[in-house]
C-alpha cells in the first residue's frame, strides 16, 4: 500500500460517523470513554501509557514516559481499505472486506487487545515485533526461558533463520522485549490463540526481531486470532509477570497449595529430587540404600518396559515417604505382535482403528517411525463402553504406585484427525488431554512432559519444561556411539553414559547469562518443573555444576538416573544436595517467584526472590567471589535462619 493510499485510508477512518459522533482528524478527539482517535490512529490508554493502533495497517505504537515506542510494524500482507468503524463500550470494530477479516480493539486489564476473525481460510503475518531501534533484548519461553541480546552476532546466527516455531511448542504463548536500559521500559505480547500461530526470528542488519504469523482455518478451529500488547518495565521477566497476570485474571492459574489440599500426597513433592530407576535401582534394597544415604524425599519413576518396579519396592518407597510412579504413554500404538514397548500395546481394535489419520486418510506415523499416533478422540469415544484407559491405569499401577507420569500429553504435540470415525481438531485434542489428565490427577500425583502453561491446573510436576532444548540436542542424541543407546536395558547408555555437547549447544541451553526464569515466574507455585529425563544430572559432566546452581537459584528439583552403582558412587553428594534443596523448598516450595535480577554487569551473579521475601537465593556462576559469595556457589537466605551455602563440585 502506497503512502498516499495509507493517508487516504486514515482520513476515511477518521471521519466515520459512529453512533451519532463525528470523529475528525483533529488530535485526540474523544470518541468513547478512554478511547480516542489521534490523527487516524486509535489512541487507547493502557497501563504505562497510550497504545496507538493504525487500522489501515495494524501498526501499533505506544506513548510512554520513556518516549514513543514501536510495539509492532504493520501487517506484512496488504489488508485493503478498512470498512466502516463502530464503537461500543470502548471497543472499536471494523473489517477488511478484501481479506474477509473482522477486527476489534479495546483496552482490557491494562493491555491493548486486538481480536481478528476470518470468514475465509488464509494467513496473516502480524505482529512484527522488536523493530524499535531501542530494542536491546528479546525474551521467549523456550523451556524455562531465555533473554537474548538482539544485537549479539552469535545469537543472530543461531536464531536468525527462516524456520517457524509453533507457538504451542513453546512452554507458554508469550514473548517480550527490553527496550533500552534494563528496568526502564519494555513490551510484552500474549497470544492465547496459540494454535495456528507461529513465531519466526529474523536477523536484519545484525539485529534480531520476531515476525508472527497466524493461519486462519475454520476446519482447524483457528479462524480466530487474539494478540494482547503490554507496556512493561523492561525487566527480563516482565513478559512472564504479564502472562501470569493474564492467567490469573482468566481463572487459568493453578496452585500447588490447593493441589496439596485436594491430594495431600502432592505435598511429598516438596523438597524431593526426581529419579528414574533402572535395573537393581528398582528394588527394595535400593530404596533402603537411599534412606541410609539420607535422601529425605524422592520421586521415583521407572520406564514402561517389561520390568516394572515390584510391589515390595513400592511399599518400601512409600514407607520412606517417597512417591513412586510409572512412565506411561497414551500417544503411540503398534501391532501388539511386534511392539517394542509395552506402552504401545493396546487391546484390539485400538490398533489400527484408533490411529490419527492425515488429510490423505493414512495413519499418522508414530514417534521414531514406529506404529501410529493414537487419536485422543478415538480413545475418549471408546472409553465409556470399553474402559481402555481405566483398565490400563489399573494394570499399570497395580503395584501400588501413587504417582503417574503421562508422557507428551501436556506438550504442544497435538493433532488434527481427519478420520471420519473420530474427527478431531488440535483444540479438541488439547481438550481431550486436559480431561483425561484431570481425571488422573484425582487419583495420582500427576506429571507430564514439558508441560505447556495450558496444562498447569491439572499437573503437579513436569519433566522437561526446565530445559531450553535447542535443535542441536536432537542430533546429538541420535549419535548412539557418542550419546549412548537404549541398552543394556538394566543400565542404558542413553541415560547413564556421560556425553559431551558442542560449545554452541552448551551456550544455547545452559549459559546462565542468557537463561531467565520465565516458567518459574509464571508457574513456580503451580507446577514443579525439572529438566528432561534423558538429561539427568550426570549426563553432561561439563555442565553439571552450572545446572545445579540454576536449579537451586530457581528452587526446582534435580532429575536423576539411578541404580545401585550410581547410588554407591554419587549417593553421599546427592544427599547433601537434597538437604540444601529441602531447606529452600521448606521456605518457598509452594510460593510464587516474585523477583529476579542480575547483580553483576556480566550477568554471572543472579538473585531470585520468593513470596514476600520468604526466600532469597543468590548464585555466583563466575569464578571469583562477589559480595562475599565465592564463584561456583549458591546461598539461600530465610528470615530468622542462618544463611545456607552450597558449593557443588564440578564433574
Amino acid at each position: 500500500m502506497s503512502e498516499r493510499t495509507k493517508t487516504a485510508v486514515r482520513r476515511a477512518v477518521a471521519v466515520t460517523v459512529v453512533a451519532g459522533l463525528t470523529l475528525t482528524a483533529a488530535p485526540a478527539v474523544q470518541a468513547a470513554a478512554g478511547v480516542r482517535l489521534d490523527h487516524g490512529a486509535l489512541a487507547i490508554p493502557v497501563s504505562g501509557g497510550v497504545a496507538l493502533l493504525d487500522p489501515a495497517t495494524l501498526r501499533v505504537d505506544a506513548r510512554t514516559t520513556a518516549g514513543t515506542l514501536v510495539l509492532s510494524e504493520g501487517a506484512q500482507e496488504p489488508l485493503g481499505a478498512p470498512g466502516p468503524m463502530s464503537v461500543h463500550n470502548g471497543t472499536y470494530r471494523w473489517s477488511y472486506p478484501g481479506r474477509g477479516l473482522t477486527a476489534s480493539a479495546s483496552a482490557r486489564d491494562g493491555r491493548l487487545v486486538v481480536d481478528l476473525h476470518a470468514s475465509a481460510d488464509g494467513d496473516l503475518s502480524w505482529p512484527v515485533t522488536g523493530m524499535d531501534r531501542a530494542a536491546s533484548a528479546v525474551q521467549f519461553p523456550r523451556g524455562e526461558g531465555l533473554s537474548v541480546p538482539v544485537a549479539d552476532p552469535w545469537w543472530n546466527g543461531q536464531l536468525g533463520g527462516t524456520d517457524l516455531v509453533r507457538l504451542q511448542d513453546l512452554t507458554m504463548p508469550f514473548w517480550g522485549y527490553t527496550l533500552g536500559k534494563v528496568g526502564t521500559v519494555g513490551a510484552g505480547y500474549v497470544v492465547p490463540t496459540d494454535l495456528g500461530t507461529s513465531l519466526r526470528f529474523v536477523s536484519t542488519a545484525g539485529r534480531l526481531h520476531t515476525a508472527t504469523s497466524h493461519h486462519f482455518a475454520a476446519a482447524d478451529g483457528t479462524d480466530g486470532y487474539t494478540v494482547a500488547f503490554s507496556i512493561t518495565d523492561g525487566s527480563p521477566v516482565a513478559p512472564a509477570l504479564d502472562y501470569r497476570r493474564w492467567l490469573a485474571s482468566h481463572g487459568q492459574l493453578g496452585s500447588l497449595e490447593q493441589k496439596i489440599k485436594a491430594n495431600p500426597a502432592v505435598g511429598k513433592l516438596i523438597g524431593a529430587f526426581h529419579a528414574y530407576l533402572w535395573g537393581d535401582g528398582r528394588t527394595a534394597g535400593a530404596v533402603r540404600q537411599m534412606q541410609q544415604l539420607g535422601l529425605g524425599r524422592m520421586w521415583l519413576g521407572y520406564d514402561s518396559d517389561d520390568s516394572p518396579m515390584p510391589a515390595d519396592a513400592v511399599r518400601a518407597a512409600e514407607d520412606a515417604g517417597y512417591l513412586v510412579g510409572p512412565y506411561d504413554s497414551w500417544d503411540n500404538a503398534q501391532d501388539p505382535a511386534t511392539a517394542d514397548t509395552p506402552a504401545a500395546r493396546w487391546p484390539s481394535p485400538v490398533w489400527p482403528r484408533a490411529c490419527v489419520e492425515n488429510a490423505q486418510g493414512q495413519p499418522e506415523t508414530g514417534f521414531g517411525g514406529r506404529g501410529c499416533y493414537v487419536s485422543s478422540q478415538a480413545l475418549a469415544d471408546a472409553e465409556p463402553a470399553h474402559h481402555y484407559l481405566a483398565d490400563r491405569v489399573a494394570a499399570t499401577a497395580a503395584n501400588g504406585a501413587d504417582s503417574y507420569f503421562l508422557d507428551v500429553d501436556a506438550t504442544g504435540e497435538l493433532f488434527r484427525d481427519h478420520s471420519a470415525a473420530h474427527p478431531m481438531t488440535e483444540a479438541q485434542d488439547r481438550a481431550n488431554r486436559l480431561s483425561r489428565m484431570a481425571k488422573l490427577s484425582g487419583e495420582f500425583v500427576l506429571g507430564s512432559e514439558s508441560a505447556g502453561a495450558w496444562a498447569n491446573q491439572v499437573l503437579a510436576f513436569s519433566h522437561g519444561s526446565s530445559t531450553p532444548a535447542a535443535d542441536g540436542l536432537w542430533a546429538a542424541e541420535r549419535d548412539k556411539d557418542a550419546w549412548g543407546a537404549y541398552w543394556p536395558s538394566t543400565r542404558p547408555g542413553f541415560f547413564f553414559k556421560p556425553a559431551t555437547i558442542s560449545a554452541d549447544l552448551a551456550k544455547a541451553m545452559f549459559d546462565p547469562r542468557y537463561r531467565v526464569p520465565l516458567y518459574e515466574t509464571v508457574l513456580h507455585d503451580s507446577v514443579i518443573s525439572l529438566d528432561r529425563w534423558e538429561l539427568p544430572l550426570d549426563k553432561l559432566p561439563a555442565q553439571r555444576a552450572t545446572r545445579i546452581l540454576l536449579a537451586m537459584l530457581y528452587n526446582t528439583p534435580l532429575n536423576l538416573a539411578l541404580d545401585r552403582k550410581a547410588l554407591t558412587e554419587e549417593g553421599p553428594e546427592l544427599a547433601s544436595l537434597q538437604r540444601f534443596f529441602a531447606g529452600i523448598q521448606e521456605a518457598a516450595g509452594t510460593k510464587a517467584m516474585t523477583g529476579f535480577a542480575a547483580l553483576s554487569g556480566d550477568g554471572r551473579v543472579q538473585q531470585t526472590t520468593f513470596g514476600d521475601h520468604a526466600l532469597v537465593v543468590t548464585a555466583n556462576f563466575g569464578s571469583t567471589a562477589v559480595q562475599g559469595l565465592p564463584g561456583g556457589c549458591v546461598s539461600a537466605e530465610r528470615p530468622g535462619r542462618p544463611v545456607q551455602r552450597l558449593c557443588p563440585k564440578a564433574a
Side-chain angles (χ1 to χ4, degrees), residues 200-474:
R200 182 164 58 94
F201 289 90
V202 182
S203 177
T204 303
R207 291 175 57 84
L208 285 169
H209 71 271
T210 41
T212 319
S213 62
H214 184 80
H215 179 63
F216 295 96
D220 291 337
T222 61
D223 47 348
Y225 181 36
T226 297
V227 183
F229 300 79
S230 294
I231 300 170
T232 72
D233 67 5
S235 85
V237 295
L241 287 168
D242 180 56
Y243 181 60
R244 177 182 169 87
R245 190 166 58 89
W246 174 282
L247 286 179
S249 66
H250 288 77
Q252 297 171 4
L253 182 62
S255 161
L256 276 171
E257 290 183 347
Q258 292 300 318
K259 292 169 188 176
I260 291 169
K261 287 180 181 178
N263 179 3
V266 174
K268 295 181 181 181
L269 288 172
I270 305 303
F273 282 175
H274 294 221
Y276 282 95
L277 305 180
W278 303 86
D280 58 11
R282 299 179 186 179
T283 62
V287 172
R288 288 191 290 270
Q289 185 178 2
M290 293 178 205
Q291 286 184 281
Q292 292 163 1
L293 287 165
L295 289 165
R297 285 198 168 182
M298 296 290 291
W299 178 91
L300 304 177
Y302 50 93
D303 194 16
S304 54
D305 55 26
D306 292 310
S307 301
M309 197 162 176
D312 69 320
V314 171
R315 285 193 301 271
E318 293 180 349
D319 288 344
Y322 300 166
L323 287 165
V324 176
Y327 168 107
D328 196 7
S329 174
W330 298 351
D331 211 41
N332 182 253
Q334 300 177 36
D335 185 338
T338 57
D340 57 11
T341 169
R345 299 186 192 121
W346 294 85
S348 178
V350 173
W351 168 266
R353 293 185 189 173
C355 293
V356 171
E357 292 185 8
N358 60 26
Q360 290 72 45
Q362 299 300 312
E364 194 76 53
T365 303
F367 178 75
R370 302 169 299 163
C372 72
Y373 284 107
V374 180
S375 169
S376 66
Q377 189 64 47
L379 292 179
D381 292 344
E383 190 62 15
H386 298 286
H387 316 301
Y388 295 131
L389 300 182
D391 290 348
R392 184 183 182 99
V393 170
T396 303
N399 59 0
D402 54 2
S403 183
Y404 213 95
F405 181 83
L406 188 59
D407 192 35
V408 308
D409 253 35
T411 70
E413 187 178 49
L414 303 167
F415 294 95
R416 165 84 188 278
D417 190 349
H418 295 265
S419 166
H422 38 78
M424 174 180 73
T425 63
E426 288 190 7
Q428 185 59 46
D429 191 11
R430 179 178 283 180
N432 292 339
R433 293 168 189 258
L434 273 174
S435 177
R436 67 197 196 185
M437 285 190 289
K439 180 173 174 56
L440 263 183
S441 68
E443 305 174 54
F444 300 93
V445 177
L446 182 65
S448 189
E449 177 191 355
S450 300
W454 55 270
N456 86 89
Q457 292 177 293
V458 299
L459 294 176
F461 64 95
S462 167
H463 291 170
S465 44
S466 291
T467 309
D471 289 343
L473 178 63
W474 318 126

Side-chain angles (χ1 to χ4, degrees), residues 33-35 44-47 89-92 105-113:
V35 183
I44 302 179
V46 296
S47 295
N89 290 336
T91 298
Y92 274 84
S106 62
R108 297 182 218 163
D109 198 20
R111 304 178 183 87
L112 166 66
V113 181

Side-chain angles (χ1 to χ4, degrees), residues 154-166:
W154 186 86
W155 278 107
N156 272 260
Q158 289 290 308
L159 295 174
T162 58
D163 289 344
L164 294 173
V165 178
R166 297 187 309 171

